[in-house]
Amino acid sequence: DQQVKQNSPSLSVQEGRISILNCDYTNSMFDYFLWYKKYPAEGPTFLISISSIKDKNEDGRFTVFLNKSAKHLSLHIVPSQPGDSAVYFCAASATNFGNEKLTFGTGTRLTIIP
Amino acid sequence: EPEVTQTPSHQVTQMGQEVILRCVPISNHLYFYWYRQILGQKVEFLVSFYNNEISEKSEIFDDQFSVERPDGSNFTLKIRSTKLEDSAMYFCASSALRAGHAINQPQHFGDGTRLSIL
């Protein structure tokens, strides 16, 4: 089941620069997309989400872009900070009256180099 | 900030034994979920629960699994007769009722229970 794909298993970025994490999906029924951050021995922490009626959502240093025609979304973190080093998961769901199971990608390990 | 709480953090159980994983969702949330992550694999959906009944379950969630909300705060996952392949991190999540134009609410996750089957 490869409905949500994160093709880069790892990414290293200099502190202060922009981090761009990418995610592709195949299921055209998905209409809500989320990014989670995960530290070892902790659960996924919600970062930011976007509905399919938008193409951009911004929250502080985090911006998510959605390109529906390409079935692609990306997470931009700027400026990157050492505390951003973690595994980032993309997830997607299809609206189902509030009961929306999430389909996750495999994750991208982001390392911020001081 | 409110959070989802899971206990225990680590459970070691003999194969064939029953195990109950416990979760306290965020207090005003109405939708509850269990996910699992086998080592090195994706986080995968197990079951969703709303209004005291299962809303959806995956093919993984067979007759050996059950969920319950025994009181107003706890949400449990029971595995009746554990198998070696049940070894995984189990995550509980909850989300709030949708309101207005915010038709989707993010799910918030606990820190998980590491289940080790011997």
Side-chain angles (χ1 to χ4, degrees):
Chain A
D1 179 0
Q2 291 286 311
Q3 295 188 74
V4 178
K5 299 184 209 179
Q6 293 176 257
N7 291 319
S8 298
S10 63
L11 175 68
S12 294
V13 174
Q14 288 280 346
E15 181 179 359
R17 307 292 288 267
I18 184 171
S19 296
I20 300 176
L21 296 100
N22 294 301
C23 178
D24 297 293
Y25 62 96
T26 57
N27 188 339
S28 56
M29 297 299 292
F30 288 150
D31 59 3
Y32 184 54
F33 305 90
L34 309 91
W35 284 95
Y36 287 86
K37 173 181 177 180
K38 188 178 181 305
Y39 294 118
E42 293 185 11
T45 300
F46 170 69
L47 274 179
I48 192 169
S49 63
I50 188 166
S51 165
S52 60
I53 61 173
K54 295 186 174 182
D55 53 20
K56 176 182 174 182
N57 189 26
E58 192 171 351
D59 183 1
R61 296 187 298 115
F62 302 93
T63 304
V64 56
F65 295 92
L66 176 63
N67 182 334
K68 290 185 289 293
S69 60
K71 293 190 173 69
H72 177 84
L73 63 155
S74 61
L75 174 68
H76 292 211
I77 307 172
V78 56
S80 300
Q81 299 174 354
D84 296 330
S85 294
V87 178
Y88 288 77
F89 291 97
C90 169
S93 67
T95 298
N96 186 22
F97 305 103
N99 164 36
E100 283 97 31
K101 68 177 184 182
L102 296 178
T103 300
F104 281 83
T106 50
T108 297
R109 181 178 302 279
L110 175 65
T111 302
I112 304 303
I113 304 165
Chain B
E1 184 174 325
E3 57 183 27
V4 176
T5 306
Q6 289 187 244
T7 54
S9 57
H10 191 190
Q11 175 79 48
V12 182
T13 301
Q14 290 286 336
M15 186 172 61
Q17 296 296 303
E18 174 183 287
V19 66
I20 297 176
L21 309 183
R22 303 181 191 280
C23 170
V24 178
I26 294 172
S27 62
N28 64 342
H29 285 187
L30 298 178
Y31 301 96
F32 312 115
Y33 308 83
W34 283 99
Y35 293 82
R36 79 173 186 189
Q37 186 179 28
I38 294 172
L39 189 63
Q41 298 186 22
K42 288 185 181 185
V43 175
E44 50 188 354
F45 169 79
L46 290 178
V47 66
S48 57
F49 191 87
Y50 170 70
N51 199 25
N52 281 318
E53 60 183 28
I54 290 174
S55 305
E56 186 174 355
K57 57 185 180 180
S58 72
E59 61 275 9
I60 303 166
F61 195 89
D62 62 21
D63 292 345
Q64 294 301 312
F65 290 85
S66 62
V67 289
E68 192 179 28
R69 188 156 163 81
D71 52 43
S73 59
N74 290 282
F75 179 51
T76 62
L77 173 69
K78 181 194 288 187
I79 309 175
R80 286 188 188 81
S81 178
T82 49
K83 303 188 281 285
L84 292 175
E85 54 265 37
D86 294 328
S87 294
M89 281 291 293
Y90 287 80
F91 294 108
C92 174
S94 67
S95 62
L97 184 67
R98 296 178 300 164
H101 292 293
I103 60 170
N104 299 100
Q105 294 286 343
Q107 293 176 29
H108 295 270
F109 285 75
D111 283 341
T113 293
R114 179 172 300 283
L115 179 62
S116 300
I117 307 300
L118 304 179

